Amino acid sequence: MKNPLLRILFLPSFVLLIALSGTGCKKTASTTTEETVIPVLVTNGTIINVTTTTAQSGGTITNFGFAAITANGVCYSSTNSTPTTADSKTTDALQLQGIGNYAYSSNITGLTPNTTYYVRAYAINGIGTGYGSVVKFTTSSSLTAVTSTVSTFAGNGTAGNVDGSGTGAQFNNPAGLSVDSKGNVYVSDTYNNTIREITPGGTVTTIAGTGTLGYVDGPAATAQFYSPQGSAFDTQGNLYVADAGNNVIRKITPAGVVSTYSGNGNPGFVDGSTAANIEFNDPTDVAFDAAGNLYVSDRGNNLIRKITPAGVVSSLAGVPIFPNAGYIDATDQLAEFNQPNGLVLDASNNVYVADQANSAIRKITTPGGVVTTVAGSTTQKTLLNLPSAIAIDATGNLYFTDETGRVLEYTTGNIIYTLAGTANVSGYTDGPGATALFSNPQAIAVDASGNIYVADKNNNCIRKIVVTLTQ
């Protein structure tokens, strides 16, 4: 006689076995589906140093498609608006960039002058070929399409603290610049702990600070700063200075009265609305938006901070990780910077950041706080090597310095040009383009006429660059 109890015990076990077997089959099918994915990638939105016959592009692979990459690069064409690997292409090496992303640079050669090209990144795995979006650019019509001439505007290369005219004046490691509506240039003379003014004619005067480091508010002649850095004007003509050594933001009125606008002097990270509690850590630059909000590059905290006209401080983007953060494009506090040094805003109130230790220019949308990389990366230091500061002209072109000795322009057409200097070559030479030499250029500013001013820190002077476009 059959035992009914055995049948009762056996039935659930059999059902469970079938269920587990079914689950296992589904997992295998899912894995098989995932392994049929072609690579996913993004084309670099910036084209670099376009000449008559050459340009530099590249891409980032965000998903290998669960199969090994066998080739990657960019494909390009002047006739096919959606180029493929059947057109001209490069083959390039991969480098890790961030979590799970691999980037590469592509040198494009053999181009035709004054010709529009279409380029997009590609990557091939065992399943197929993936493509990024198409980027369009036009080669220069001549080798002199973009020219620049560098001269010394004020200072003479010797460290000192002397007011005077042109090269008769002396600075000591200047590291901050801004220009007012009349074309006067304001210099944060960092090692002299003063704020200096240079008229359009080149006359230098000290407008605030005693020359001795300290932290004293009050009349300009008795006020004290400690390693002042970037500065910016509001619509009333007040000058705001990132007083890095004191970990505060200072305000200088047109009458010359210095006060503390935000921060309590203690290095740290505290947001809020009570001025006595707010803390910064080595703030290095400031910039205003159209609504009067002041943005701060809080270098030591690896953050971009925002100060409302009412004095309320909040974190716009980044996360306070010490001493160094990372390199992540994301939203708000999910993004990461590494020693952000300079910043500027465009007409739409987007914030552009010289993310120095990441060798990148980052963009933060406002509102929204979405952080993306405009140019450069930790794996593309030949493009931007430790960018120090950033400025913008009336038409939206960006200008930035890098500490290795260059001044670069990022046009509204998403093309980067080296305007002056040579990477990894230091010196003090005036003249055209790459023949000019800098030594640790820091701050940069542009006046209403498009003249560019650079705080050439180790040369203890302010340089002026006049750019001519012939295309």
Side-chain angles (χ1 to χ4, degrees), residues 210-224:
T210 63
T212 301
L213 70 86
Y215 182 17
V216 177
D217 286 333
T222 57
Q224 291 183 340

Side-chain angles (χ1 to χ4, degrees), residues 9 14 141 165 174 183 205 218 250 265 312 342 360 377 383 415 434 445 451 461 469:
L9 293 174
F14 179 77
S141 58
S165 180
T205 56
R250 311 288 287 279
V312 178
S377 74
L383 169 57
I415 295 175
N451 299 305
C461 62
L469 302 177

Side-chain angles (χ1 to χ4, degrees), residues 186-207:
Y186 292 80
V187 182
S188 293
D189 196 3
T190 303
Y191 283 13
N192 280 325
N193 302 293
T194 56
I195 308 301
R196 318 280 290 277
E197 178 193 77
I198 313 174
T199 67
T203 300
V204 179
T205 56
T206 300
I207 65 164

Side-chain angles (χ1 to χ4, degrees), residues 292-462:
N293 299 297
L294 184 65
Y295 296 84
V296 180
S297 188
D298 195 4
R299 179 184 173 98
N301 282 323
N302 295 299
L303 291 171
I304 305 303
R305 314 279 288 276
K306 175 183 176 181
I307 310 173
T308 69
V312 178
V313 178
S314 61
S315 296
L316 177 67
V319 57
I321 301 177
F322 312 100
N324 300 323
Y327 179 31
I328 297 176
D329 284 341
T331 302
D332 299 328
Q333 282 68 52
L334 296 177
E336 289 187 9
F337 299 86
N338 197 343
Q339 299 179 37
N341 203 55
L343 78 169
V344 72
L345 279 82
D346 66 12
S348 300
N349 290 329
N350 297 302
V351 182
Y352 292 86
V353 180
D355 192 9
Q356 189 168 50
N358 282 325
S359 292
I361 301 300
R362 315 283 289 279
K363 176 183 177 180
I364 311 170
T365 62
T366 60
V370 178
V371 179
T372 55
T373 297
V374 171
S377 74
T378 55
T379 63
Q380 297 178 354
K381 290 191 175 182
T382 54
L383 169 57
L384 298 178
N385 199 339
L386 303 175
S388 309
I390 188 167
I392 193 167
D393 67 15
T395 59
N397 299 302
L398 296 172
Y399 302 85
F400 34 89
T401 55
D402 76 27
E403 284 194 347
T404 70
R406 296 177 297 176
V407 179
L408 304 102
E409 177 186 8
Y410 177 76
T411 71
T412 54
N414 302 326
I415 295 175
I416 288 182
Y417 293 102
T418 299
L419 295 179
T422 301
N424 302 309
V425 178
S426 295
Y428 182 19
T429 304
D430 287 334
T435 65
L437 296 178
F438 302 83
S439 183
N440 192 15
Q442 290 292 315
I444 188 167
V446 183
D447 67 16
S449 300
N451 299 305
I452 303 167
Y453 301 90
V454 176
D456 194 4
K457 186 174 181 180
N458 289 354
N459 283 325
N460 302 295
C461 62
I462 307 304

Side-chain angles (χ1 to χ4, degrees), residues 229 242-244 247-249 280-285 296-300:
Q229 306 274 322
D243 193 1
N247 301 294
V248 295
I249 309 303
F280 299 91
N281 189 356
D282 191 24
T284 51
D285 205 3
V296 180
S297 188
D298 195 4
R299 179 184 173 98

